Amino acid sequence: GSPRDLAGRKVVVSAGGTREAIDPVRYIGNRSSGLQGYALARTAVARGAEVTLVAANVALPDPAGAKVVRVESTAELREAVLEASAYADAVVMAAAVADFRPATRHDSKIKKTDGEPEPIRLTKNPDILAELGERRRRASAAERGPEVIVGFAAETDDVLANGQAKLARKGCDLLVVNQVGEGLAFGTPDNAATVLVAGGDAVEVPFGPKEDLADTVWDLVATRLA
Ligand code: C5P
């Protein structure tokens, strides 16, 4: 795409991975580094966009030129993403969102006991991406939120069929399907992916820097906003 093709556009990117508190010192989390989301934020800034980066537990410096909102839990990520999305042209959900959280958060540290430990009961988290799609389907023109909604997914088999089904289920426009396994994706600077487009198209992004995948995503977003 042309270098400043996102000038005047507001975009929201979520990055990293959410943590769900068990007690004041412990949490359930995941291994997302935030590198792909940060690459998306950097490239969007470079292309002229006004970027809000919602970062969940990322140990990286703020990208220059982006507004960074730091969050920890899925509830916080949801609130920040929905708020920033209200006036955005596009939202890219690159964050690894915890599907479940402990049903109760203990107010004080769970003590070691002699007997068997208490099981940790889990409850479902809201699906933020699906909520954005649902909101867009239902709301009036003035409140529809982002024009372009992008999700990420890790699929190991039947990438095209499973990916297209997920894209439809979540009501998004693009779904970036990461190839997982053999040291790919998590914490590495490189990535390989297939970007699925609503309606059936698929764009292959060969193994390379996460910036390359980010630029392909913004190419597809810019085309849809034009
Ligand atoms: O369903 P699955 O977890 O594979 O979907 C991944 C996509 O959905 C990612 O874009 C992720 O950010 C988003 N997601 C979400 N809320 C959840 C779970 C996933 O927004 N609770």
Side-chain angles (χ1 to χ4, degrees):
S2 65
R4 305 288 295 178
D5 58 356
L6 293 175
R9 301 297 191 179
K10 291 185 172 67
V11 305
V12 180
V13 176
S14 70
T18 59
R19 289 178 183 171
E20 305 297 345
I22 298 168
D23 68 17
V25 297
R26 306 182 179 97
Y27 61 84
I28 295 172
N30 63 70
R31 296 184 190 282
S32 178
S33 64
L35 285 169
Q36 184 62 66
Y38 274 51
L40 281 154
R42 270 198 310 279
T43 50
V45 169
R47 293 168 74 143
E50 189 181 308
V51 180
T52 302
L53 174 63
V54 181
N57 312 295
V58 181
L60 296 167
D62 290 359
K67 179 189 174 193
V68 182
V69 182
R70 294 203 176 255
V71 298
E72 185 174 334
S73 66
T74 298
E76 290 167 4
L77 182 91
R78 176 178 171 276
E79 210 169 282
V81 165
L82 293 183
E83 191 190 320
S85 294
Y87 302 101
D89 298 295
V91 58
V92 182
M93 284 291 297
V97 182
D99 292 314
F100 308 106
R101 67 177 184 278
T104 51
R105 180 197 199 282
H106 293 256
D107 288 331
S108 43
K109 189 181 167 193
I110 299 169
K111 294 263 185 294
K112 222 178 288 179
T113 50
D114 290 337
E116 283 297 303
E118 282 294 310
I120 296 169
R121 291 171 51 85
L122 299 176
T123 190
K124 245 187 181 161
N125 267 333
D127 189 321
I128 303 158
L129 183 62
E131 198 173 335
L132 286 164
E134 185 66 18
R135 192 172 279 218
R136 181 169 63 168
R137 232 180 350 263
R138 292 181 178 203
S140 66
E143 312 173 308
R144 294 181 85 232
E147 196 174 327
V148 183
I149 301 173
V150 184
F152 271 68
E155 302 279 343
T156 47
D157 35 42
D158 245 332
V159 168
L160 293 184
N162 290 334
Q164 278 292 346
K166 181 171 287 187
L167 189 152
R169 194 166 62 244
K170 300 235 185 190
C172 50
D173 305 291
L174 303 170
L175 188 73
V176 182
V177 184
N178 281 303
Q179 285 167 26
V180 289
E182 323 137 45
L184 283 171
F186 281 128
T188 67
D190 298 308
N191 208 354
T194 305
V195 185
L196 301 181
V197 180
D201 271 5
V203 179
E204 293 292 340
V205 183
F207 187 74
K210 286 180 174 175
E211 270 80 9
D212 290 0
L213 173 56
D215 269 319
T216 301
V217 170
W218 294 126
D219 288 346
L220 293 163
V221 168
T223 304
R224 272 153 192 78
L225 290 175

